[in-house]
């Protein structure tokens, strides 16, 4: 009789082949360390071309569709699609070969919805464009203001 128990091993992401260019813009950047930053499906990728290595940000549970790199070229924000979309801010905390996440907090200031674009500005502010045309203004991980109907359509 064969053993029907699950194997005692796990899969580990070693390499990402590909790049998401479909329906996305401004999604490839150089970091302060001269690494390439981009995303594929629900994974943020930091590629070091000198050492031919990749690090992975695994904080999303659905496809990433927006990415912004802070002017310091260290901090990253990514937004995802799905039923419960959210934004992740990356401070490059590396655990093994994965970067650890921190979610944005919408609170009572804005509606939880799909974020289509993200951009950074002065005074540690970040702006995100929502599916319904609203613009969200973030300070750190918290939503501080909503510009309702800033655009008549998705941003």
């Amino acid at each position: 009789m064969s053993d029907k128990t699950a194997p005692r091993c796990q899969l580990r992401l070693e390499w990402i082949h590909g790049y998401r260019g479909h329906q996305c813009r401004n999604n490839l950047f150089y970091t302060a360390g001269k690494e390439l930053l981009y995303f594929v499906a629900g994974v943020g990728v930091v590629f070091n071309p000198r050492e031919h290595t990749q690090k992975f940000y695994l904080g999303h549970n659905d496809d990433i569709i927006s990415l912004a790199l802070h002017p310091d070229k260290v901090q990253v924000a990514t937004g995802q699609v799905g039923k419960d979309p959210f934004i992740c801010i990356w401070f490059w905390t590396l655990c093994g070969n994965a970067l650890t996440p921190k979610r944005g907090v919408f609170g009572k200031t804005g509606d939880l919805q799909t974020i289509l674009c993200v951009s950074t500005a002065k005074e540690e502010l970040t702006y995100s464009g929502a599916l319904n045309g609203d613009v969200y203004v973030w300070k750190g991980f918290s939503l501080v203001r909503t510009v309702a109907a800033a655009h008549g359509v998705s941003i």
Side-chain angles (χ1 to χ4, degrees):
M1 180 175 203
S2 65
D3 184 4
K4 295 186 182 194
T5 60
R8 297 184 204 275
C9 60
Q10 296 178 354
L11 295 176
R12 185 174 62 92
L13 182 57
E14 291 181 1
W15 195 263
I16 297 252
H17 298 272
Y19 165 77
R20 175 156 184 176
H22 180 67
Q23 297 177 328
C24 295
R25 293 184 179 92
N26 299 322
N27 61 347
L28 179 64
F29 295 95
Y30 271 109
T31 67
K34 303 288 187 233
E35 296 171 308
L36 288 168
L37 171 68
Y38 58 99
F39 58 86
V40 177
V43 178
V45 180
V46 181
F47 173 64
N48 183 322
R50 294 174 310 282
E51 298 177 14
H52 198 69
T53 58
Q54 291 180 332
K55 293 181 278 189
F56 308 110
Y57 178 79
L58 303 171
H60 288 281
N61 59 17
D62 209 330
D63 284 356
I64 298 171
I65 59 166
S66 59
L67 176 136
L69 181 63
H70 190 275
D72 68 10
K73 297 188 181 247
V74 174
Q75 299 177 68
V76 179
T78 47
Q80 74 173 44
V81 298
K83 183 179 177 190
D84 296 314
F86 55 87
I87 296 172
C88 290
I89 310 297
W90 310 8
F91 295 104
W92 300 96
T93 303
L94 187 62
C95 295
N97 70 341
L99 299 167
T100 58
K102 189 145 190 182
R103 288 187 182 195
V105 179
F106 283 80
K108 295 181 180 178
T109 307
D111 296 327
L112 183 64
Q113 63 177 303
T114 301
I115 301 298
L116 300 175
C117 60
V118 179
S119 182
T120 57
K122 294 179 181 176
E123 300 173 11
E124 299 178 11
L125 293 178
T126 302
Y127 294 86
S128 62
L131 186 63
N132 69 354
D134 290 354
V135 171
Y136 289 160
V137 183
W138 303 81
K139 181 130 182 153
F141 300 106
S142 299
L143 182 61
V144 294
R145 187 165 57 101
T146 299
V147 181
H151 293 262
V153 296
S154 302
I155 301 174

